[in-house]
Amino acid sequence: MPRVVVHVMPKPEILDPQGKAVAAALPRLGFEGIASVRQGKRFELEVEGEITDEVLASLREAATTLLSNPVIEDVVALEVEDA
Amino acid sequence: MPRVVVHVMPKPEILDPQGKAVAAALPRLGFEGIASVRQGKRFELEVEGEITDEVLASLREAATTLLSNPVIEDVVALEVEDA
């Protein structure tokens, strides 16, 4: 079944407390040399049938309205796998 | 600054209530034809200096121990950007 992967990240100007927490934890656990961490989301959508331009446009709309909050997040990528 | 992107997904045998909630919401909002949704995490790590094999090995360890919970999650990809 074809799969679409949607990548969502907090906008650059938005504070990312989860990412900050990870960045602070890394050196405590012995992992040095990481300047910053941002945490976002990754969605894998299994699509029924073929992925046409129409389906993709609809998925892009779903990504920007339902999968992400456009006030604070950007859809940074939308990848089609096994199309 | 070089960036490493870590992709974490719930293991296939693990229930994913967030993904199920998204999958249930899609048709209600008019997006049909999605068989299933899984929700995972995406981390962007800005790395100081060059990404050597050693740095990458250390990041891989951080990904499997700190960025993911190996009991319920898999690190599905670790990508180097602008290396």
Side-chain angles (χ1 to χ4, degrees):
Chain A
M1 198 174 274
R3 172 188 292 175
V4 172
V5 184
V6 178
H7 303 262
V8 175
M9 291 302 291
K11 284 184 191 287
E13 66 271 24
I14 295 288
L15 270 179
D16 171 15
Q18 287 182 301
K20 288 239 182 296
V22 172
L26 282 164
R28 283 206 304 273
L29 295 170
F31 302 107
E32 305 285 348
I34 313 294
S36 79
V37 179
R38 308 276 296 167
Q39 180 174 345
K41 293 183 277 186
R42 176 192 158 105
F43 296 91
E44 292 183 356
L45 291 80
E46 306 270 341
V47 180
E48 286 163 358
E50 213 182 325
I51 300 187
T52 59
D53 285 352
E54 210 173 295
V55 170
L56 207 57
S58 153
L59 285 176
R60 210 174 287 276
E61 202 198 325
T64 50
T65 54
L66 176 66
L67 303 184
S68 66
N69 176 348
V71 178
I72 57 167
E73 292 170 325
D74 286 324
V75 176
V76 293
L78 195 147
E79 292 164 358
V80 178
E81 288 177 2
D82 337 310
Chain B
M1 199 175 272
R3 172 188 290 176
V4 171
V5 184
V6 178
H7 302 263
V8 174
M9 292 300 293
K11 284 183 191 288
E13 67 271 24
I14 297 287
L15 270 179
D16 172 15
Q18 286 182 302
K20 288 237 181 298
V22 171
L26 281 164
R28 281 204 308 271
L29 296 170
F31 302 107
E32 305 284 347
I34 313 293
S36 78
V37 180
R38 308 276 293 165
Q39 181 175 343
K41 291 182 278 186
R42 175 193 159 103
F43 296 91
E44 293 183 355
L45 292 79
E46 306 270 343
V47 180
E48 287 163 358
E50 216 183 323
I51 299 186
T52 59
D53 285 354
E54 209 173 294
V55 169
L56 208 57
S58 153
L59 285 175
R60 211 175 285 278
E61 204 198 321
T64 51
T65 55
L66 177 65
L67 303 183
S68 67
N69 176 348
V71 177
I72 58 167
E73 292 170 325
D74 286 324
V75 176
V76 294
L78 194 146
E79 292 164 357
V80 178
E81 287 177 2
D82 334 313

